[in-house]
Amino acid sequence: MATNRPSRLLGYLESRKNLTGSACGIVGLALTFAGVAGPYWPVVVAGLYGAGALVAPPERPPVPDFPDPSAQLDELRGDFGKLRAYLADVELPPAAAGRLTELTELLAALLDPGWVAEVLAQDPEGVHALSRAVRQDVPEAVDTFVRTRWWTRLAPGVEPPERHLERQLAVLHDEAQTLATSLHEVEARRQESHTRYLEDRS
């Protein structure tokens, strides 16, 4: 409790109420030296200080400190490394394995440090979509296949689970490809804008 008092006092000294009141109090002192306040100058100074503190604009709340998108991408790269280690221990049929390789290569390219990551860091929705693919969609799809494959041995005749996995991976690949295309378009527009700027400047 005692440690909070100095910080509260310092906070009030730096507040708008104190600064505005102090400015008005200085005006009261100026009136005193000018001979306007007379013998009641302490009341005038205190009154002006109080009036200034009352009319001071309210304090603005601090802006929330959101995490840096670049730091989010660094964490996502670490999680992607964990995902690849998990996938390396899973045995998949050739067709599904091929689709999974295409998908992970595309995700790796999107997360690779460079201009793509720089553009991606400015797209919160893109970061969210990529995070969902790495941390939820891909591992859930593969894990569901692994669990379902065992049950199909007990219930032959149903659609093979690898077909579902292939379709899921195809959808995820299309989503990642759409994100990559949009990022490329953003970078192309940025280059075009810079070219026009240089041409107009010259």
Side-chain angles (χ1 to χ4, degrees), residues 5-36:
R5 289 178 181 175
S7 60
R8 288 181 180 178
L9 178 60
L10 182 61
Y12 178 76
L13 291 176
E14 297 175 347
S15 68
R16 295 183 178 186
K17 288 184 177 295
N18 182 56
L19 294 178
T20 306
S22 298
C24 293
I26 292 174
V27 173
L29 289 175
L31 293 175
T32 299
F33 292 130
V36 177

Side-chain angles (χ1 to χ4, degrees), residues 67-153:
D68 184 9
S70 299
Q72 288 181 311
L73 288 179
D74 289 339
E75 293 179 3
L76 188 54
R77 290 187 188 100
D79 291 341
F80 182 63
K82 297 177 184 177
L83 175 63
R84 298 190 86 165
Y86 160 72
L87 297 176
D89 293 333
V90 178
E91 294 184 6
L92 299 178
R99 287 194 177 275
L100 182 60
T101 299
E102 294 175 357
L103 174 59
T104 53
E105 288 178 351
L106 181 54
L107 295 176
L110 287 169
L111 288 170
D112 188 40
W115 73 264
V116 176
E118 293 175 2
V119 178
L120 180 61
Q122 306 304 318
D123 183 7
E125 293 183 3
V127 174
H128 174 71
L130 196 57
S131 173
R132 183 183 59 199
V134 170
R135 293 169 172 159
Q136 178 179 341
D137 295 338
V138 174
E140 282 188 2
V142 174
D143 182 63
T144 300
F145 163 77
V146 172
R147 287 185 286 109
T148 308
R149 178 177 56 180
W150 185 86
W151 287 103
T152 56
R153 297 172 181 171

Side-chain angles (χ1 to χ4, degrees), residues 23-73:
C24 293
I26 292 174
V27 173
L29 289 175
L31 293 175
T32 299
F33 292 130
V36 177
Y40 301 103
W41 68 267
V43 177
V44 173
V45 172
L48 288 175
Y49 175 87
L54 287 175
V55 301
E59 296 292 329
R60 290 181 302 188
V63 178
D65 186 17
F66 295 112
D68 184 9
S70 299
Q72 288 181 311
L73 288 179

Side-chain angles (χ1 to χ4, degrees), residues 145 148 152 157-165:
F145 163 77
T148 308
T152 56
V158 299
E159 186 176 8
E162 54 265 27
R163 299 286 186 271
H164 291 286
L165 177 61

